């Protein structure tokens, strides 16, 4: 594909599949064998403020220092190659190459990107359109396999159903650098606390019922509980595709809760996949997903990578300031007794030690923000399981056997500069959640006073 350049006329073959904070994802609908079964990731730029974190998209001086062990990565001439090599050389060895697809870089013209921008605008959520657009100044995109289907498409007409899950952080931090006033972080999940901030900012209309600790628990029952919660309140954490087309969940932003109408439509969509009576298919599908998460053990590796964050942002931010050789703004904000007691040791670390802390934190950040794609294809009676390159799972409720494959996607390299953002966001999340708890306690107290004429103890 080195000599291939996508031009304006090619844009019509790429349709909107979804998007995250940094990239648009398009699916291919044309007839070129080169792109059948592929999706495209296109970087976005912000409508307001700076549209790039790192100027021309290459690594900064400090980032090259951070990733110096990988010469190919630090020598990359553009952001697309940086992203590709980061997935290939950093994330793939950690998560397992069987579950990671680094993709390939393909050149595009500015006219191609401008046409894509026009073509997808009406399909994007309004709030996404208001905040970002296609970065038409890029000269390349990333092409990766479409993990919502099997490599050979719908073999023998057998449907393929795929669930996309954004697991989020699966553990509670225990770092000694967490301040006493932020001790709630040790008992309440980051996901739960972030829900309070999103609710406050009107990004969601209700709390998600999902608890990441359930999904990462290693318990069949708890994993099923997590999948049921994701189905009930999918937000942007749970989507389902049938033969590559979205049949459940939101395209670019997500949806708060599953209504009876949506649930009925999804039940109908499952009729050629799950061999059960109407009214029981969704339950069986949830069982299928939960059993696959449990038996595959794929989340065990993801959790290991997430736990590379051993210092929490409250500790890692100090190592960050060591690296950029600037006065620590965090210590400046804190009172002298706190910073000297808790954080002075971090500013005594060697450069190598500081680099390791921050690098591990950023790798963990990638793992906390990635998505998991699990695709299923029913095995017909008489099919030889031993001849397949895919694993299989048995769905007891319908007595069906499914082949499945698991891939991690959205394994983006986090910019070093984002450490400052992570610290500020962490403070906002904890503050908002703590204020919410305080308000709820005051309301409960007021209700009890009204009910009993005095404070109920």
């Amino acid at each position: 594909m080195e000599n291939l350049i996508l031009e304006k006329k090619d844009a019509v073959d790429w349709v909107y599949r979804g998007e995250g904070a940094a990239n648009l994802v398009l699916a291919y609908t044309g007839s070129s064998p080169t792109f059948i079964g592929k999706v495209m990731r296109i970087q976005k730029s912000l409508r307001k403020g700076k549209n790039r974190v790192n100027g021309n998209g290459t690594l900064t001086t400090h980032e090259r220092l951070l990733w110096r062990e990988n010469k190919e990565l630090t020598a990359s001439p553009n952001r697309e190659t940086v992203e590709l090599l980061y997935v290939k050389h950093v994330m793939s060895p950690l998560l397992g190459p069987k579950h990671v697809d680094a993709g390939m870089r393909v050149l595009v013209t500015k006219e191609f990107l401008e046409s894509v921008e026009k073509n997808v605008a009406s399909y994007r959520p309004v709030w996404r359109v208001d905040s970002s657009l296609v970065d038409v100044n890029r000269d390349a995109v990333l092409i990766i396999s479409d993990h919502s289907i099997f490599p050979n498409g719908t073999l023998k007409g057998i449907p393929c159903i795929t669930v996309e899950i954004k697991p989020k952080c699966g553990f509670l931090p225990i770092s000694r650098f967490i301040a006493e006033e932020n001790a709630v972080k040790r008992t309440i999940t980051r996901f739960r606390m972030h829900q309070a901030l999103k609710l406050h900012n009107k990004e969601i209309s209700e709390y998600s019922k999902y608890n990441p600790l359930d999904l990462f628990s290693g318990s069949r029952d708890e994993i099923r509980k997590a999948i049921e919660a994701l189905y009930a309140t999918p937000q942007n954490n749970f989507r389902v595709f049938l033969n590559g087309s979205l049949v459940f969940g939101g395209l670019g932003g997500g949806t708060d809760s599953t209504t009876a109408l949506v649930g009925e439509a999804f039940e109908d969509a499952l009729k050629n996949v799950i061999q059960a009576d109407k009214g029981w298919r969704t339950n069986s599908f949830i069982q299928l997903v939960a059993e696959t998460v449990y038996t595959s053990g794929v989340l065990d590796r993801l959790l290991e990578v997430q736990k590379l964050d051993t210092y929490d942002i409250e500790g890692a931010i100090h190592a960050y300031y060591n690296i950029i050789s600037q006065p620590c703004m965090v210590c400046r904000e804190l009172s002298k007794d706190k910073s000297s007691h808790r954080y002075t040791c971090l500013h005594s670390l060697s450069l190598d030690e500081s680099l390791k802390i921050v690098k591990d934190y950023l790798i963990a950040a990638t793992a906390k923000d990635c998505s998991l794609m699990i695709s299923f294809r029913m095995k017909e009676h008489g099919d030889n399981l031993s001849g397949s390159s895919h694993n299989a799972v048995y769905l007891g409720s319908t007595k069906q056997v499914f082949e499945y494959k698991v891939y991690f996607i959205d394994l983006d390299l986090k910019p070093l500069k984002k450490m400052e953002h992570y610290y500020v966001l962490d403070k906002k999340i904890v503050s908002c959640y703590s204020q919410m708890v305080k308000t709820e306690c005051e309301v409960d107290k007021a209700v009890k006073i009204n009910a009993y004429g005095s404070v109920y103890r």
Side-chain angles (χ1 to χ4, degrees):
M1 290 194 184
E2 292 182 2
N3 298 323
L4 181 64
I5 301 179
L6 292 175
E7 302 175 346
K8 182 178 180 180
K9 63 181 176 60
D10 301 309
V12 68
D13 293 328
W14 295 91
V15 299
Y16 184 77
R17 168 65 66 80
E19 63 186 288
N23 299 279
L24 277 172
V25 179
L26 309 180
Y28 185 68
T29 60
S31 57
S32 170
T34 302
F35 296 114
I36 290 176
K38 304 291 184 183
V39 295
M40 175 186 295
R41 281 166 56 90
I42 302 179
Q43 291 202 17
K44 301 193 297 185
S45 61
L46 300 178
R47 288 189 182 276
K48 298 178 181 179
K50 297 179 180 179
N51 64 0
R52 291 185 185 87
V53 176
N54 295 330
N56 65 359
T58 57
L59 296 176
T60 65
T61 300
H62 290 120
E63 285 176 326
R64 285 196 293 272
L65 180 64
L66 189 69
W67 302 106
R68 62 186 177 182
E69 293 175 3
N70 192 304
K71 303 298 183 184
E72 191 178 2
L73 180 67
T74 56
S76 299
N78 52 68
R79 197 70 188 182
E80 290 80 21
T81 304
V82 168
E83 294 284 355
L84 189 155
L85 294 175
Y86 173 72
V87 173
K88 181 179 179 181
H89 295 306
V90 179
M91 299 309 300
S92 182
L94 290 170
L95 294 173
K98 180 181 179 182
H99 303 299
V100 176
D101 175 16
M104 63 189 80
R105 182 173 180 265
V106 173
L107 296 175
V108 295
T109 64
K110 185 172 184 177
E111 290 74 23
F112 171 84
L113 295 175
E114 289 172 340
S115 293
V116 166
E117 169 65 29
K118 292 177 183 177
N119 294 345
V120 305
S122 62
Y123 298 95
R124 301 177 63 200
V126 174
W127 69 275
R128 292 283 195 190
V129 175
D130 290 342
S131 65
S132 62
L133 68 166
V134 171
D135 188 346
V136 298
N137 294 311
R138 297 287 174 180
D139 65 355
V141 296
L142 280 179
I143 301 293
I144 61 175
S145 295
D146 184 350
H147 297 300
S148 69
I149 59 175
F150 275 79
N152 297 322
T154 53
L155 190 66
K156 300 180 184 177
I158 300 173
C160 169
I161 193 161
T162 299
V163 60
E164 178 182 345
I165 300 172
K166 190 178 282 288
K168 308 306 289 186
C169 182
F171 71 99
L172 295 172
I174 57 174
S175 170
R176 66 187 179 95
F177 296 105
I178 296 174
E180 292 177 10
E181 59 267 28
N182 299 331
V184 66
K185 290 161 64 172
R186 295 192 177 98
T187 56
I188 305 296
T189 66
R190 167 64 172 252
F191 181 81
R192 173 67 178 175
M193 289 192 291
H194 203 170
Q195 289 280 299
L197 180 61
K198 288 182 176 181
L199 196 64
H200 176 77
N201 291 338
K202 296 181 170 56
E203 295 175 31
I204 56 175
S205 60
E206 63 179 298
Y207 276 108
S208 169
K209 295 178 172 64
Y210 171 60
N211 183 344
L213 300 186
D214 293 335
L215 190 67
F216 286 89
S217 66
S219 160
R220 270 194 173 93
D221 291 341
E222 295 301 305
I223 291 171
R224 174 162 183 140
K225 178 182 175 184
I227 304 300
E228 288 174 342
L230 285 166
Y231 172 78
T233 48
Q235 296 187 2
N236 68 332
N237 303 303
F238 191 81
R239 302 196 297 172
V240 182
F241 299 87
L242 180 60
N243 296 330
S245 297
L246 186 73
V247 293
F248 183 84
L251 269 175
T255 180
D256 281 348
S257 61
T258 300
T259 63
L261 192 63
V262 169
E264 187 174 343
F266 183 59
E267 182 80 11
D268 288 339
L270 293 172
K271 64 183 177 182
N272 293 322
V273 180
I274 303 295
Q275 296 174 349
D277 293 336
K278 188 172 182 179
W280 295 97
R281 297 171 193 145
T282 300
N283 283 334
S284 293
F285 176 72
I286 288 172
Q287 179 187 343
L288 175 65
V289 175
E291 182 63 23
T292 305
V293 170
Y294 175 79
T295 57
S296 70
V298 70
L299 287 184
D300 295 341
R301 293 194 72 159
L302 182 63
L303 186 59
E304 286 180 18
V305 181
Q306 290 185 356
K307 286 185 174 181
L308 288 174
D309 170 20
T310 57
Y311 283 74
D312 191 76
I313 188 60
E314 292 188 54
I317 189 67
H318 299 275
Y320 162 75
Y321 280 107
N322 293 345
I323 293 170
I324 64 173
S325 301
Q326 290 186 12
C328 181
M329 300 303 294
V330 176
C331 288
R332 184 177 295 181
E333 291 176 4
L334 299 172
S335 59
K336 288 184 178 180
D337 58 329
K338 285 185 179 179
S339 63
S340 61
H341 170 68
R342 195 183 297 269
Y343 305 114
T344 300
C345 62
L346 290 172
H347 290 292
S348 300
L349 295 173
S350 67
L351 177 60
D352 284 348
E353 290 172 319
S354 296
L355 288 169
K356 182 176 182 349
I357 291 171
V358 173
K359 184 169 71 171
D360 284 350
Y361 182 88
L362 292 175
I363 292 172
T366 295
K368 293 174 188 177
D369 204 33
C370 74
S371 293
L372 186 69
M373 300 281 282
I374 310 176
S375 297
F376 300 95
R377 182 171 61 189
M378 184 177 62
K379 296 290 292 184
E380 293 185 320
H381 293 297
D383 283 353
N384 184 12
L385 283 174
S386 62
S388 173
S389 61
H390 303 290
N391 293 318
V393 61
Y394 177 70
L395 180 57
S397 61
T398 65
K399 296 181 171 57
Q400 290 173 273
V401 177
F402 290 85
E403 282 186 299
Y404 71 88
K405 63 186 180 76
V406 183
Y407 275 89
F408 294 105
I409 63 170
D410 300 334
L411 299 170
D412 301 323
L413 170 65
K414 305 301 182 183
L416 177 60
K417 181 71 174 176
K418 205 167 184 180
M419 290 292 291
E420 297 174 30
H421 163 78
Y422 286 138
Y423 181 76
V424 172
L425 179 61
D426 187 71
K427 288 178 63 178
K428 286 181 180 178
I429 288 172
V430 175
S431 174
C432 185
Y433 180 79
S434 299
Q435 183 59 46
M436 181 208 70
V437 171
K438 181 181 178 182
T439 301
E440 288 180 349
C441 288
E442 290 174 350
V443 169
D444 288 345
K445 183 177 180 181
V447 169
K448 290 171 182 176
I449 289 175
N450 290 335
Y452 298 99
S454 60
V455 180
Y456 178 76
R457 299 182 186 279

